[in-house]
Amino acid sequence: KKVILGSDESDSLVIHETGPKGVRIKIHIKQLSRAKDVLYGDVEDLDSAQLEPELWRYLAEMIQSSELEYEGVVILHGIGTIAYTASALSFMLKNLAFPVILTAAQLPLNYARTDAVQNIVTSIALAASRSVGLKSAITEVAVFSLSALLRGNRSTVINSSSFRFLESPTYPPLAIAGERLDVKTQFLRKS
């Protein structure tokens, strides 16, 4: 929270996508809590390789219960199984009215050359696409890596030791992050 929002007390992030004034996006950070039927102890001990259908169900239920409360959801995930989780959630969360974006990082937040900050901030901007003023709202499960937003059930891990760890060989990117966020409306799923 301190690295992304500037302090432990902060609850918002200003996104300057549509101009110098920017848009203040309220952020609610929710830690995974232990579900009674999901077998893991401390969330810090949960590795993405341990993900299983029960945890996907738990995530899907948590997201569905948040649909009216938030504009979008960003899930911080490990690289190893991010494509599996994105695909599973895309089939579990049909007819979404808001974006669910998964992202990961090659290097942790406390590393000098981390890709985490850019991946998280860009994912937040895409998840808040309506407020940020992007030309089209995203209403599906997607994954963000380096500079591309990919459809969740069309993504695959191509290189687990590169900043560009995901690719979508069978479907074009839903958005490209460069100087501006370029949402490819023709490729978005219709809400």
Side-chain angles (χ1 to χ4, degrees):
K1 190 172 181 181
K2 186 175 186 177
V3 173
I4 301 301
L5 302 181
S7 78
D8 289 330
E9 290 78 38
S10 184
D11 67 348
S12 62
L13 180 67
V14 177
I15 303 287
H16 295 278
E17 190 58 34
T18 56
K21 182 180 177 188
V23 176
R24 184 169 296 280
I25 305 297
K26 190 158 178 63
I27 306 291
H28 178 242
I29 296 176
K30 191 173 197 173
Q31 294 281 348
L32 276 180
S33 58
R34 185 182 170 124
K36 63 178 180 266
D37 52 350
V38 177
L39 301 175
Y40 64 89
D42 186 352
V43 72
E44 292 294 323
D45 295 334
L46 181 62
D47 184 85
S48 67
Q50 296 170 295
L51 288 177
E52 55 188 18
E54 284 305 309
L55 189 52
W56 292 333
R57 182 186 57 77
Y58 175 68
L59 283 170
E61 288 172 354
M62 195 165 67
I63 291 165
Q64 282 178 322
S65 70
S66 302
E67 195 165 7
L68 298 175
E69 205 174 334
Y70 302 108
E71 185 174 348
V73 171
V74 174
I75 298 172
L76 307 183
H77 201 287
I79 290 174
T81 57
I82 192 170
Y84 296 110
T85 299
S87 186
L89 289 177
S90 75
F91 291 106
M92 296 170 88
L93 298 168
K94 293 185 179 192
N95 301 317
L96 276 173
F98 72 141
V100 173
I101 299 174
L102 289 85
T103 193
Q106 197 55 249
L107 298 172
L109 276 169
N110 61 339
Y111 281 48
R113 292 186 325 100
T114 185
D115 54 330
V117 175
Q118 189 61 40
N119 286 348
I120 294 168
V121 171
T122 304
S123 295
I124 290 169
L126 289 164
S129 55
R130 287 185 180 113
S131 290
V132 171
L134 298 178
K135 58 185 167 185
S136 185
I138 299 157
T139 56
E140 61 184 284
V141 176
V143 290
F144 183 80
S145 166
L146 188 62
S147 64
L149 182 70
L150 308 172
R151 176 158 287 155
N153 57 23
R154 298 290 184 99
S155 65
T156 186
V157 175
I158 57 162
N159 190 338
S160 62
S161 60
S162 169
F163 285 159
R164 181 178 297 284
F165 50 85
L166 286 170
E167 198 168 280
S168 177
T170 61
Y171 201 79
L174 304 177
I176 300 293
E179 181 184 354
R180 298 252 183 257
L181 292 176
D182 181 17
V183 178
K184 309 293 186 182
T185 56
Q186 69 272 30
F187 300 129
L188 293 178
R189 190 162 198 218
K190 306 299 179 235
S191 61

Short mmCIF file of all heavy atoms in Angstrom, two decimals, residues 36-80:
data_model
loop_
_atom_site.label_atom_id
_atom_site.label_comp_id
_atom_site.label_asym_id
_atom_site.label_seq_id
_atom_site.Cartn_x
_atom_site.Cartn_y
_atom_site.Cartn_z
N LYS A 36 -12.99 -21.19 5.18
CA LYS A 36 -13.06 -22.42 5.98
C LYS A 36 -12.78 -23.68 5.18
O LYS A 36 -12.30 -24.67 5.69
CB LYS A 36 -14.43 -22.51 6.66
CG LYS A 36 -15.59 -22.61 5.70
CD LYS A 36 -16.90 -22.75 6.46
CE LYS A 36 -18.05 -22.85 5.51
NZ LYS A 36 -18.73 -21.69 5.16
N ASP A 37 -13.05 -23.62 3.84
CA ASP A 37 -12.82 -24.81 3.03
C ASP A 37 -11.59 -24.69 2.13
O ASP A 37 -11.37 -25.52 1.27
CB ASP A 37 -14.06 -25.13 2.20
CG ASP A 37 -14.55 -23.93 1.40
OD1 ASP A 37 -14.05 -22.82 1.64
OD2 ASP A 37 -15.42 -24.11 0.56
N VAL A 38 -10.80 -23.66 2.31
CA VAL A 38 -9.54 -23.52 1.56
C VAL A 38 -8.41 -23.78 2.54
O VAL A 38 -8.30 -23.12 3.56
CB VAL A 38 -9.42 -22.11 0.94
CG1 VAL A 38 -8.09 -21.95 0.24
CG2 VAL A 38 -10.56 -21.86 -0.03
N LEU A 39 -7.60 -24.74 2.21
CA LEU A 39 -6.59 -25.19 3.15
C LEU A 39 -5.24 -24.51 2.93
O LEU A 39 -4.42 -24.95 2.14
CB LEU A 39 -6.42 -26.71 3.06
CG LEU A 39 -7.68 -27.51 3.33
CD1 LEU A 39 -7.43 -28.99 3.10
CD2 LEU A 39 -8.17 -27.27 4.74
N TYR A 40 -5.04 -23.38 3.56
CA TYR A 40 -3.74 -22.75 3.63
C TYR A 40 -3.71 -21.94 4.92
O TYR A 40 -4.74 -21.54 5.43
CB TYR A 40 -3.41 -21.90 2.41
CG TYR A 40 -4.31 -20.70 2.22
CD1 TYR A 40 -4.00 -19.47 2.80
CD2 TYR A 40 -5.47 -20.79 1.46
CE1 TYR A 40 -4.83 -18.39 2.62
CE2 TYR A 40 -6.29 -19.70 1.28
CZ TYR A 40 -5.97 -18.50 1.86
OH TYR A 40 -6.79 -17.42 1.69
N GLY A 41 -2.52 -21.71 5.41
CA GLY A 41 -2.39 -20.96 6.66
C GLY A 41 -2.25 -19.48 6.38
O GLY A 41 -3.18 -18.83 5.95
N ASP A 42 -1.08 -18.95 6.58
CA ASP A 42 -0.79 -17.54 6.35
C ASP A 42 -0.80 -17.26 4.85
O ASP A 42 -0.19 -17.99 4.06
CB ASP A 42 0.58 -17.23 6.95
CG ASP A 42 0.94 -15.77 6.90
OD1 ASP A 42 0.21 -14.99 6.26
OD2 ASP A 42 1.96 -15.39 7.50
N VAL A 43 -1.46 -16.18 4.44
CA VAL A 43 -1.53 -15.83 3.02
C VAL A 43 -0.13 -15.62 2.43
O VAL A 43 0.09 -15.85 1.25
CB VAL A 43 -2.44 -14.60 2.80
CG1 VAL A 43 -1.78 -13.32 3.29
CG2 VAL A 43 -2.83 -14.47 1.34
N GLU A 44 0.83 -15.23 3.24
CA GLU A 44 2.20 -15.07 2.76
C GLU A 44 2.82 -16.41 2.35
O GLU A 44 3.76 -16.46 1.58
CB GLU A 44 3.07 -14.40 3.84
CG GLU A 44 2.70 -12.96 4.11
CD GLU A 44 2.98 -12.05 2.93
OE1 GLU A 44 3.99 -12.25 2.22
OE2 GLU A 44 2.19 -11.13 2.70
N ASP A 45 2.30 -17.49 2.90
CA ASP A 45 2.81 -18.82 2.55
C ASP A 45 2.13 -19.40 1.31
O ASP A 45 2.52 -20.46 0.84
CB ASP A 45 2.59 -19.79 3.71
CG ASP A 45 3.40 -19.40 4.94
OD1 ASP A 45 4.44 -18.74 4.77
OD2 ASP A 45 2.97 -19.75 6.05
N LEU A 46 1.13 -18.72 0.79
CA LEU A 46 0.39 -19.23 -0.36
C LEU A 46 1.15 -18.90 -1.64
O LEU A 46 1.32 -17.75 -2.00
CB LEU A 46 -1.01 -18.61 -0.42
CG LEU A 46 -1.91 -19.06 -1.56
CD1 LEU A 46 -2.18 -20.55 -1.45
CD2 LEU A 46 -3.21 -18.29 -1.52
N ASP A 47 1.63 -19.92 -2.31
CA ASP A 47 2.33 -19.77 -3.57
C ASP A 47 1.33 -20.01 -4.69
O ASP A 47 0.39 -20.79 -4.54
CB ASP A 47 3.46 -20.81 -3.63
CG ASP A 47 4.30 -20.64 -4.86
OD1 ASP A 47 5.23 -19.82 -4.85
OD2 ASP A 47 4.01 -21.34 -5.86
N SER A 48 1.53 -19.34 -5.83
CA SER A 48 0.56 -19.51 -6.92
C SER A 48 0.50 -20.96 -7.42
O SER A 48 -0.50 -21.38 -7.99
CB SER A 48 0.86 -18.56 -8.07
OG SER A 48 2.07 -18.88 -8.71
N ALA A 49 1.54 -21.73 -7.19
CA ALA A 49 1.51 -23.13 -7.59
C ALA A 49 0.54 -23.94 -6.74
O ALA A 49 0.16 -25.05 -7.11
CB ALA A 49 2.92 -23.73 -7.49
N GLN A 50 0.12 -23.40 -5.60
CA GLN A 50 -0.82 -24.10 -4.73
C GLN A 50 -2.28 -23.82 -5.09
O GLN A 50 -3.17 -24.33 -4.43
CB GLN A 50 -0.58 -23.67 -3.28
CG GLN A 50 0.78 -24.05 -2.75
CD GLN A 50 1.03 -23.40 -1.41
OE1 GLN A 50 1.12 -22.18 -1.32
NE2 GLN A 50 1.13 -24.22 -0.38
N LEU A 51 -2.51 -23.01 -6.09
CA LEU A 51 -3.89 -22.68 -6.43
C LEU A 51 -4.63 -23.91 -6.91
O LEU A 51 -4.08 -24.76 -7.60
CB LEU A 51 -3.93 -21.60 -7.50
CG LEU A 51 -3.54 -20.22 -7.00
CD1 LEU A 51 -3.55 -19.22 -8.13
CD2 LEU A 51 -4.46 -19.77 -5.89
N GLU A 52 -5.89 -23.98 -6.54
CA GLU A 52 -6.72 -25.12 -6.88
C GLU A 52 -8.15 -24.63 -7.06
O GLU A 52 -8.47 -23.48 -6.73
CB GLU A 52 -6.63 -26.17 -5.78
CG GLU A 52 -6.98 -25.62 -4.41
CD GLU A 52 -6.69 -26.61 -3.30
OE1 GLU A 52 -5.93 -27.57 -3.50
OE2 GLU A 52 -7.25 -26.43 -2.22
N PRO A 53 -9.03 -25.45 -7.61
CA PRO A 53 -10.40 -25.02 -7.87
C PRO A 53 -11.13 -24.42 -6.68
O PRO A 53 -11.92 -23.48 -6.85
CB PRO A 53 -11.08 -26.30 -8.36
CG PRO A 53 -9.98 -27.06 -9.02
CD PRO A 53 -8.76 -26.79 -8.15
N GLU A 54 -10.88 -24.90 -5.48
CA GLU A 54 -11.56 -24.33 -4.31
C GLU A 54 -11.17 -22.88 -4.08
O GLU A 54 -12.01 -22.06 -3.70
CB GLU A 54 -11.27 -25.15 -3.05
CG GLU A 54 -12.05 -26.45 -3.00
CD GLU A 54 -13.56 -26.23 -3.14
OE1 GLU A 54 -14.13 -25.39 -2.41
OE2 GLU A 54 -14.16 -26.88 -4.00
N LEU A 55 -9.92 -22.53 -4.33
CA LEU A 55 -9.49 -21.15 -4.17
C LEU A 55 -10.06 -20.29 -5.31
O LEU A 55 -10.44 -19.15 -5.09
CB LEU A 55 -7.98 -21.03 -4.10
CG LEU A 55 -7.44 -19.66 -3.72
CD1 LEU A 55 -8.07 -19.13 -2.43
CD2 LEU A 55 -5.94 -19.70 -3.57
N TRP A 56 -10.14 -20.84 -6.51
CA TRP A 56 -10.77 -20.11 -7.63
C TRP A 56 -12.24 -19.82 -7.30
O TRP A 56 -12.74 -18.74 -7.55
CB TRP A 56 -10.67 -20.90 -8.92
CG TRP A 56 -9.28 -21.03 -9.46
CD1 TRP A 56 -8.24 -20.16 -9.28
CD2 TRP A 56 -8.79 -22.09 -10.25
NE1 TRP A 56 -7.12 -20.62 -9.92
CE2 TRP A 56 -7.43 -21.81 -10.54
CE3 TRP A 56 -9.35 -23.26 -10.77
CZ2 TRP A 56 -6.64 -22.65 -11.32
CZ3 TRP A 56 -8.56 -24.09 -11.54
CH2 TRP A 56 -7.22 -23.78 -11.80
N ARG A 57 -12.92 -20.80 -6.71
CA ARG A 57 -14.32 -20.61 -6.32
C ARG A 57 -14.43 -19.50 -5.27
O ARG A 57 -15.29 -18.63 -5.35
CB ARG A 57 -14.93 -21.91 -5.78
CG ARG A 57 -16.41 -21.80 -5.40
CD ARG A 57 -16.92 -23.07 -4.73
NE ARG A 57 -16.18 -23.44 -3.55
CZ ARG A 57 -16.32 -22.85 -2.35
NH1 ARG A 57 -17.16 -21.85 -2.19
NH2 ARG A 57 -15.61 -23.24 -1.32
N TYR A 58 -13.53 -19.54 -4.31
CA TYR A 58 -13.50 -18.53 -3.26
C TYR A 58 -13.29 -17.14 -3.87
O TYR A 58 -13.99 -16.18 -3.52
CB TYR A 58 -12.40 -18.88 -2.26
CG TYR A 58 -12.19 -17.86 -1.17
CD1 TYR A 58 -13.16 -17.64 -0.20
CD2 TYR A 58 -11.02 -17.13 -1.12
CE1 TYR A 58 -12.97 -16.70 0.80
CE2 TYR A 58 -10.81 -16.20 -0.12
CZ TYR A 58 -11.79 -15.98 0.84
OH TYR A 58 -11.58 -15.06 1.82
N LEU A 59 -12.33 -17.00 -4.78
CA LEU A 59 -12.09 -15.72 -5.45
C LEU A 59 -13.32 -15.28 -6.24
O LEU A 59 -13.72 -14.11 -6.18
CB LEU A 59 -10.89 -15.83 -6.39
CG LEU A 59 -9.51 -15.80 -5.77
CD1 LEU A 59 -8.45 -16.15 -6.80
CD2 LEU A 59 -9.22 -14.45 -5.14
N ALA A 60 -13.92 -16.19 -6.99
CA ALA A 60 -15.10 -15.85 -7.79
C ALA A 60 -16.25 -15.36 -6.90
O ALA A 60 -16.91 -14.36 -7.24
CB ALA A 60 -15.55 -17.05 -8.62
N GLU A 61 -16.48 -16.02 -5.78
CA GLU A 61 -17.54 -15.59 -4.87
C GLU A 61 -17.23 -14.22 -4.27
O GLU A 61 -18.11 -13.38 -4.14
CB GLU A 61 -17.74 -16.63 -3.77
CG GLU A 61 -18.41 -17.89 -4.27
CD GLU A 61 -18.45 -19.01 -3.23
OE1 GLU A 61 -17.85 -18.85 -2.13
OE2 GLU A 61 -19.06 -20.05 -3.53
N MET A 62 -15.96 -14.00 -3.91
CA MET A 62 -15.56 -12.72 -3.35
C MET A 62 -15.75 -11.60 -4.39
O MET A 62 -16.23 -10.52 -4.07
CB MET A 62 -14.10 -12.79 -2.89
CG MET A 62 -13.68 -11.65 -2.00
SD MET A 62 -12.12 -11.96 -1.14
CE MET A 62 -10.95 -11.96 -2.47
N ILE A 63 -15.41 -11.87 -5.63
CA ILE A 63 -15.56 -10.88 -6.71
C ILE A 63 -17.04 -10.62 -6.99
O ILE A 63 -17.46 -9.46 -7.11
CB ILE A 63 -14.82 -11.35 -7.98
CG1 ILE A 63 -13.31 -11.31 -7.74
CG2 ILE A 63 -15.20 -10.49 -9.18
CD1 ILE A 63 -12.50 -12.07 -8.77
N GLN A 64 -17.84 -11.67 -7.09
CA GLN A 64 -19.27 -11.48 -7.36
C GLN A 64 -19.94 -10.67 -6.26
O GLN A 64 -20.80 -9.85 -6.53
CB GLN A 64 -19.96 -12.83 -7.53
CG GLN A 64 -19.72 -13.42 -8.88
CD GLN A 64 -20.36 -14.78 -9.04
OE1 GLN A 64 -20.39 -15.59 -8.11
NE2 GLN A 64 -20.89 -15.04 -10.22
N SER A 65 -19.53 -10.88 -5.03
CA SER A 65 -20.14 -10.12 -3.94
C SER A 65 -19.69 -8.66 -3.94
O SER A 65 -20.31 -7.82 -3.30
CB SER A 65 -19.81 -10.77 -2.59
OG SER A 65 -18.45 -10.61 -2.29
N SER A 66 -18.65 -8.34 -4.69
CA SER A 66 -18.13 -6.97 -4.77
C SER A 66 -18.62 -6.21 -6.00
O SER A 66 -18.32 -5.03 -6.15
CB SER A 66 -16.60 -7.00 -4.82
OG SER A 66 -16.09 -7.64 -3.70
N GLU A 67 -19.35 -6.87 -6.88
CA GLU A 67 -19.67 -6.28 -8.17
C GLU A 67 -20.42 -4.95 -8.08
O GLU A 67 -20.17 -4.05 -8.86
CB GLU A 67 -20.47 -7.27 -9.02
CG GLU A 67 -20.52 -6.88 -10.47
CD GLU A 67 -20.97 -8.02 -11.37
OE1 GLU A 67 -21.36 -9.09 -10.86
OE2 GLU A 67 -20.93 -7.81 -12.58
N LEU A 68 -21.29 -4.80 -7.12
CA LEU A 68 -22.03 -3.55 -6.98
C LEU A 68 -21.27 -2.52 -6.16
O LEU A 68 -21.60 -1.34 -6.16
CB LEU A 68 -23.40 -3.81 -6.35
CG LEU A 68 -24.32 -4.72 -7.15
CD1 LEU A 68 -25.59 -5.01 -6.37
CD2 LEU A 68 -24.64 -4.11 -8.50
N GLU A 69 -20.22 -2.95 -5.47
CA GLU A 69 -19.47 -2.09 -4.56
C GLU A 69 -18.30 -1.37 -5.22
O GLU A 69 -17.92 -0.28 -4.82
CB GLU A 69 -18.95 -2.97 -3.41
CG GLU A 69 -18.69 -2.25 -2.14
CD GLU A 69 -18.32 -3.26 -1.05
OE1 GLU A 69 -18.73 -4.44 -1.11
OE2 GLU A 69 -17.63 -2.84 -0.13
N TYR A 70 -17.71 -1.99 -6.26
CA TYR A 70 -16.49 -1.46 -6.87
C TYR A 70 -16.64 -1.31 -8.38
O TYR A 70 -17.45 -1.98 -9.02
CB TYR A 70 -15.30 -2.39 -6.58
CG TYR A 70 -15.06 -2.59 -5.11
CD1 TYR A 70 -15.36 -3.80 -4.49
CD2 TYR A 70 -14.55 -1.57 -4.33
CE1 TYR A 70 -15.15 -3.98 -3.14
CE2 TYR A 70 -14.34 -1.74 -2.97
CZ TYR A 70 -14.64 -2.94 -2.38
OH TYR A 70 -14.44 -3.12 -1.04
N GLU A 71 -15.82 -0.46 -8.94
CA GLU A 71 -15.80 -0.27 -10.39
C GLU A 71 -15.03 -1.37 -11.10
O GLU A 71 -15.27 -1.67 -12.25
CB GLU A 71 -15.17 1.09 -10.71
CG GLU A 71 -15.21 1.43 -12.17
CD GLU A 71 -14.73 2.83 -12.46
OE1 GLU A 71 -14.57 3.63 -11.53
OE2 GLU A 71 -14.51 3.12 -13.63
N GLY A 72 -14.10 -1.97 -10.42
CA GLY A 72 -13.29 -3.04 -10.98
C GLY A 72 -12.47 -3.70 -9.90
O GLY A 72 -12.38 -3.19 -8.78
N VAL A 73 -11.87 -4.83 -10.22
CA VAL A 73 -11.07 -5.60 -9.28
C VAL A 73 -9.72 -5.88 -9.92
O VAL A 73 -9.66 -6.26 -11.09
CB VAL A 73 -11.76 -6.92 -8.90
CG1 VAL A 73 -10.86 -7.82 -8.09
CG2 VAL A 73 -13.06 -6.66 -8.14
N VAL A 74 -8.65 -5.71 -9.14
CA VAL A 74 -7.31 -6.08 -9.57
C VAL A 74 -6.82 -7.16 -8.61
O VAL A 74 -6.89 -6.99 -7.39
CB VAL A 74 -6.35 -4.88 -9.55
CG1 VAL A 74 -4.92 -5.32 -9.84
CG2 VAL A 74 -6.80 -3.82 -10.54
N ILE A 75 -6.35 -8.26 -9.15
CA ILE A 75 -5.83 -9.36 -8.35
C ILE A 75 -4.32 -9.46 -8.58
O ILE A 75 -3.88 -9.60 -9.73
CB ILE A 75 -6.50 -10.70 -8.73
CG1 ILE A 75 -8.01 -10.64 -8.46
CG2 ILE A 75 -5.84 -11.87 -7.99
CD1 ILE A 75 -8.77 -11.84 -8.97
N LEU A 76 -3.56 -9.38 -7.50
CA LEU A 76 -2.11 -9.57 -7.58
C LEU A 76 -1.83 -11.06 -7.43
O LEU A 76 -2.28 -11.68 -6.48
CB LEU A 76 -1.41 -8.76 -6.49
CG LEU A 76 -1.76 -7.28 -6.42
CD1 LEU A 76 -0.95 -6.59 -5.33
CD2 LEU A 76 -1.58 -6.60 -7.75
N HIS A 77 -1.10 -11.61 -8.36
CA HIS A 77 -0.96 -13.05 -8.50
C HIS A 77 0.50 -13.41 -8.74
O HIS A 77 1.28 -12.56 -9.12
CB HIS A 77 -1.82 -13.49 -9.69
CG HIS A 77 -2.21 -14.92 -9.71
ND1 HIS A 77 -1.33 -15.93 -10.00
CD2 HIS A 77 -3.40 -15.51 -9.50
CE1 HIS A 77 -1.98 -17.09 -9.96
NE2 HIS A 77 -3.24 -16.86 -9.64
N GLY A 78 0.84 -14.65 -8.58
CA GLY A 78 2.15 -15.15 -8.97
C GLY A 78 2.15 -15.48 -10.46
O GLY A 78 1.10 -15.77 -11.03
N ILE A 79 3.32 -15.43 -11.07
CA ILE A 79 3.42 -15.65 -12.52
C ILE A 79 3.08 -17.09 -12.91
O ILE A 79 2.40 -17.33 -13.90
CB ILE A 79 4.83 -15.28 -13.04
CG1 ILE A 79 5.02 -13.77 -12.96
CG2 ILE A 79 5.05 -15.77 -14.47
CD1 ILE A 79 6.42 -13.31 -13.31
N GLY A 80 3.55 -18.05 -12.14
CA GLY A 80 3.47 -19.46 -12.54
C GLY A 80 2.11 -19.94 -13.01
O GLY A 80 2.01 -20.68 -14.00
#
